[in-house]
Short mmCIF file of all heavy atoms in Angstrom, two decimals:
data_model
loop_
_atom_site.label_atom_id
_atom_site.label_comp_id
_atom_site.label_asym_id
_atom_site.label_seq_id
_atom_site.Cartn_x
_atom_site.Cartn_y
_atom_site.Cartn_z
N VAL B 289 -58.52 -58.28 18.58
CA VAL B 289 -58.93 -59.63 18.27
C VAL B 289 -58.50 -59.91 16.84
O VAL B 289 -58.82 -59.13 15.94
CB VAL B 289 -60.46 -59.82 18.41
CG1 VAL B 289 -60.84 -61.25 18.07
CG2 VAL B 289 -60.91 -59.46 19.83
N THR B 290 -57.79 -60.99 16.65
CA THR B 290 -57.31 -61.26 15.31
C THR B 290 -57.38 -62.76 15.06
O THR B 290 -57.51 -63.57 15.98
CB THR B 290 -55.86 -60.79 15.14
OG1 THR B 290 -55.47 -60.86 13.79
CG2 THR B 290 -54.89 -61.64 15.97
N GLU B 291 -57.30 -63.12 13.78
CA GLU B 291 -57.36 -64.52 13.43
C GLU B 291 -55.93 -65.10 13.39
O GLU B 291 -54.96 -64.40 13.03
CB GLU B 291 -58.03 -64.71 12.06
CG GLU B 291 -59.52 -64.38 12.08
CD GLU B 291 -60.19 -64.71 10.76
OE1 GLU B 291 -59.47 -64.94 9.78
OE2 GLU B 291 -61.43 -64.72 10.72
N MET B 292 -55.86 -66.38 13.69
CA MET B 292 -54.58 -67.07 13.66
C MET B 292 -53.91 -66.87 12.30
O MET B 292 -54.57 -66.96 11.26
CB MET B 292 -54.83 -68.55 13.90
CG MET B 292 -53.60 -69.41 13.92
SD MET B 292 -53.98 -71.10 14.43
CE MET B 292 -55.04 -71.63 13.10
N GLY B 293 -52.61 -66.59 12.33
CA GLY B 293 -51.87 -66.41 11.11
C GLY B 293 -51.70 -64.96 10.73
O GLY B 293 -50.84 -64.63 9.91
N GLN B 294 -52.48 -64.09 11.31
CA GLN B 294 -52.43 -62.69 10.98
C GLN B 294 -51.27 -62.01 11.74
O GLN B 294 -50.84 -62.46 12.79
CB GLN B 294 -53.72 -61.96 11.30
CG GLN B 294 -54.91 -62.44 10.49
CD GLN B 294 -54.70 -62.17 9.01
OE1 GLN B 294 -54.46 -61.05 8.60
NE2 GLN B 294 -54.79 -63.22 8.19
N GLU B 295 -50.80 -60.90 11.19
CA GLU B 295 -49.79 -60.11 11.89
C GLU B 295 -50.45 -59.15 12.86
O GLU B 295 -51.51 -58.57 12.54
CB GLU B 295 -48.99 -59.30 10.83
CG GLU B 295 -47.96 -58.36 11.44
CD GLU B 295 -47.19 -57.61 10.38
OE1 GLU B 295 -46.50 -58.24 9.57
OE2 GLU B 295 -47.28 -56.36 10.38
N VAL B 296 -49.86 -59.02 14.01
CA VAL B 296 -50.37 -58.10 15.04
C VAL B 296 -49.26 -57.18 15.44
O VAL B 296 -48.11 -57.60 15.66
CB VAL B 296 -50.82 -58.94 16.27
CG1 VAL B 296 -51.24 -57.98 17.38
CG2 VAL B 296 -51.93 -59.89 15.93
N THR B 297 -49.61 -55.90 15.55
CA THR B 297 -48.61 -54.91 16.01
C THR B 297 -49.21 -54.14 17.19
O THR B 297 -50.28 -53.56 17.11
CB THR B 297 -48.30 -53.92 14.88
OG1 THR B 297 -47.73 -54.62 13.78
CG2 THR B 297 -47.28 -52.89 15.39
N LEU B 298 -48.49 -54.18 18.29
CA LEU B 298 -48.84 -53.46 19.50
C LEU B 298 -47.94 -52.26 19.62
O LEU B 298 -46.75 -52.34 19.32
CB LEU B 298 -48.70 -54.37 20.71
CG LEU B 298 -49.34 -55.76 20.63
CD1 LEU B 298 -49.15 -56.54 21.92
CD2 LEU B 298 -50.80 -55.68 20.23
N ARG B 299 -48.50 -51.14 20.11
CA ARG B 299 -47.76 -49.91 20.14
C ARG B 299 -47.65 -49.35 21.53
O ARG B 299 -48.54 -49.50 22.36
CB ARG B 299 -48.42 -48.90 19.22
CG ARG B 299 -48.41 -49.32 17.76
CD ARG B 299 -49.25 -48.42 16.89
NE ARG B 299 -49.11 -48.77 15.47
CZ ARG B 299 -49.74 -49.78 14.87
NH1 ARG B 299 -50.56 -50.53 15.59
NH2 ARG B 299 -49.56 -50.03 13.60
N CYS B 300 -46.55 -48.62 21.75
CA CYS B 300 -46.33 -48.04 23.07
C CYS B 300 -45.62 -46.70 22.93
O CYS B 300 -44.67 -46.53 22.19
CB CYS B 300 -45.45 -48.96 23.91
SG CYS B 300 -44.99 -48.30 25.52
N LYS B 301 -46.18 -45.74 23.68
CA LYS B 301 -45.52 -44.43 23.79
C LYS B 301 -45.07 -44.26 25.24
O LYS B 301 -45.91 -44.15 26.11
CB LYS B 301 -46.46 -43.32 23.38
CG LYS B 301 -45.87 -41.92 23.44
CD LYS B 301 -46.89 -40.87 23.06
CE LYS B 301 -46.29 -39.48 22.91
NZ LYS B 301 -45.51 -39.05 24.09
N PRO B 302 -43.78 -44.29 25.51
CA PRO B 302 -43.32 -44.15 26.88
C PRO B 302 -43.46 -42.74 27.40
O PRO B 302 -43.74 -41.80 26.65
CB PRO B 302 -41.83 -44.57 26.79
CG PRO B 302 -41.43 -44.18 25.41
CD PRO B 302 -42.64 -44.40 24.56
N ILE B 303 -43.23 -42.58 28.68
CA ILE B 303 -43.23 -41.26 29.27
C ILE B 303 -42.01 -40.49 28.78
O ILE B 303 -40.92 -41.06 28.71
CB ILE B 303 -43.23 -41.34 30.81
CG1 ILE B 303 -44.56 -41.93 31.29
CG2 ILE B 303 -42.97 -39.98 31.46
CD1 ILE B 303 -44.61 -42.24 32.78
N SER B 304 -42.25 -39.25 28.42
CA SER B 304 -41.17 -38.42 27.85
C SER B 304 -40.03 -38.32 28.85
O SER B 304 -40.20 -38.08 30.05
CB SER B 304 -41.72 -37.03 27.55
OG SER B 304 -40.69 -36.19 27.11
N GLY B 305 -38.79 -38.55 28.33
CA GLY B 305 -37.61 -38.46 29.16
C GLY B 305 -37.16 -39.74 29.80
O GLY B 305 -36.06 -39.84 30.37
N HIS B 306 -37.97 -40.77 29.72
CA HIS B 306 -37.60 -42.07 30.26
C HIS B 306 -36.61 -42.78 29.32
O HIS B 306 -36.82 -42.85 28.10
CB HIS B 306 -38.83 -42.93 30.50
CG HIS B 306 -39.54 -42.57 31.73
ND1 HIS B 306 -40.60 -43.30 32.25
CD2 HIS B 306 -39.39 -41.54 32.63
CE1 HIS B 306 -41.02 -42.76 33.39
NE2 HIS B 306 -40.30 -41.67 33.61
N ASP B 307 -35.60 -43.41 29.92
CA ASP B 307 -34.56 -44.03 29.13
C ASP B 307 -34.80 -45.53 28.89
O ASP B 307 -34.19 -46.10 28.02
CB ASP B 307 -33.19 -43.90 29.85
CG ASP B 307 -32.81 -42.45 30.08
OD1 ASP B 307 -32.71 -41.71 29.07
OD2 ASP B 307 -32.62 -42.08 31.23
N TYR B 308 -35.62 -46.13 29.74
CA TYR B 308 -35.82 -47.57 29.64
C TYR B 308 -37.26 -47.84 29.24
O TYR B 308 -38.21 -47.19 29.69
CB TYR B 308 -35.60 -48.24 31.02
CG TYR B 308 -34.14 -48.37 31.41
CD1 TYR B 308 -33.48 -47.30 32.01
CD2 TYR B 308 -33.45 -49.55 31.20
CE1 TYR B 308 -32.16 -47.42 32.40
CE2 TYR B 308 -32.13 -49.67 31.59
CZ TYR B 308 -31.49 -48.60 32.19
OH TYR B 308 -30.16 -48.71 32.55
N LEU B 309 -37.39 -48.87 28.40
CA LEU B 309 -38.73 -49.31 28.01
C LEU B 309 -38.78 -50.82 28.05
O LEU B 309 -37.84 -51.50 27.60
CB LEU B 309 -39.08 -48.81 26.58
CG LEU B 309 -40.46 -49.16 26.11
CD1 LEU B 309 -41.08 -48.02 25.32
CD2 LEU B 309 -40.50 -50.43 25.26
N PHE B 310 -39.83 -51.36 28.66
CA PHE B 310 -40.01 -52.78 28.87
C PHE B 310 -41.29 -53.27 28.21
O PHE B 310 -42.30 -52.59 28.23
CB PHE B 310 -40.11 -53.10 30.36
CG PHE B 310 -38.96 -52.61 31.23
CD1 PHE B 310 -38.90 -51.32 31.67
CD2 PHE B 310 -37.95 -53.53 31.58
CE1 PHE B 310 -37.83 -50.89 32.46
CE2 PHE B 310 -36.90 -53.10 32.40
CZ PHE B 310 -36.84 -51.79 32.79
N TRP B 311 -41.22 -54.44 27.64
CA TRP B 311 -42.45 -55.14 27.16
C TRP B 311 -42.65 -56.42 28.00
O TRP B 311 -41.71 -57.22 28.14
CB TRP B 311 -42.33 -55.52 25.67
CG TRP B 311 -42.56 -54.44 24.71
CD1 TRP B 311 -41.64 -53.71 24.02
CD2 TRP B 311 -43.84 -53.94 24.29
NE1 TRP B 311 -42.26 -52.76 23.21
CE2 TRP B 311 -43.59 -52.91 23.36
CE3 TRP B 311 -45.16 -54.24 24.63
CZ2 TRP B 311 -44.63 -52.20 22.73
CZ3 TRP B 311 -46.18 -53.54 24.00
CH2 TRP B 311 -45.93 -52.54 23.08
N TYR B 312 -43.89 -56.57 28.50
CA TYR B 312 -44.24 -57.74 29.28
C TYR B 312 -45.46 -58.44 28.67
O TYR B 312 -46.28 -57.81 28.01
CB TYR B 312 -44.63 -57.33 30.73
CG TYR B 312 -43.51 -56.80 31.56
CD1 TYR B 312 -43.18 -55.45 31.56
CD2 TYR B 312 -42.75 -57.66 32.37
CE1 TYR B 312 -42.16 -54.94 32.32
CE2 TYR B 312 -41.70 -57.16 33.17
CZ TYR B 312 -41.41 -55.82 33.15
OH TYR B 312 -40.40 -55.32 33.90
N ARG B 313 -45.56 -59.71 28.99
CA ARG B 313 -46.74 -60.49 28.62
C ARG B 313 -47.29 -61.09 29.91
O ARG B 313 -46.55 -61.64 30.69
CB ARG B 313 -46.39 -61.58 27.61
CG ARG B 313 -47.56 -62.48 27.25
CD ARG B 313 -47.19 -63.45 26.14
NE ARG B 313 -46.23 -64.46 26.55
CZ ARG B 313 -45.84 -65.46 25.77
NH1 ARG B 313 -46.32 -65.56 24.54
NH2 ARG B 313 -44.97 -66.34 26.21
N GLN B 314 -48.62 -60.98 30.09
CA GLN B 314 -49.23 -61.53 31.28
C GLN B 314 -50.31 -62.55 30.93
O GLN B 314 -51.26 -62.25 30.19
CB GLN B 314 -49.84 -60.39 32.15
CG GLN B 314 -50.33 -60.90 33.50
CD GLN B 314 -50.74 -59.77 34.43
OE1 GLN B 314 -51.29 -58.76 33.99
NE2 GLN B 314 -50.45 -59.93 35.74
#
Side-chain angles (χ1 to χ4, degrees):
Chain B
V289 180
T290 190
E291 292 186 347
M292 181 173 64
Q294 296 297 305
E295 177 179 298
V296 176
T297 299
L298 311 182
R299 296 173 175 79
C300 175
K301 181 182 188 306
I303 293 173
S304 177
H306 280 189
D307 300 302
Y308 286 83
L309 184 140
F310 303 82
W311 280 103
Y312 292 89
R313 177 173 68 175
Q314 187 171 36

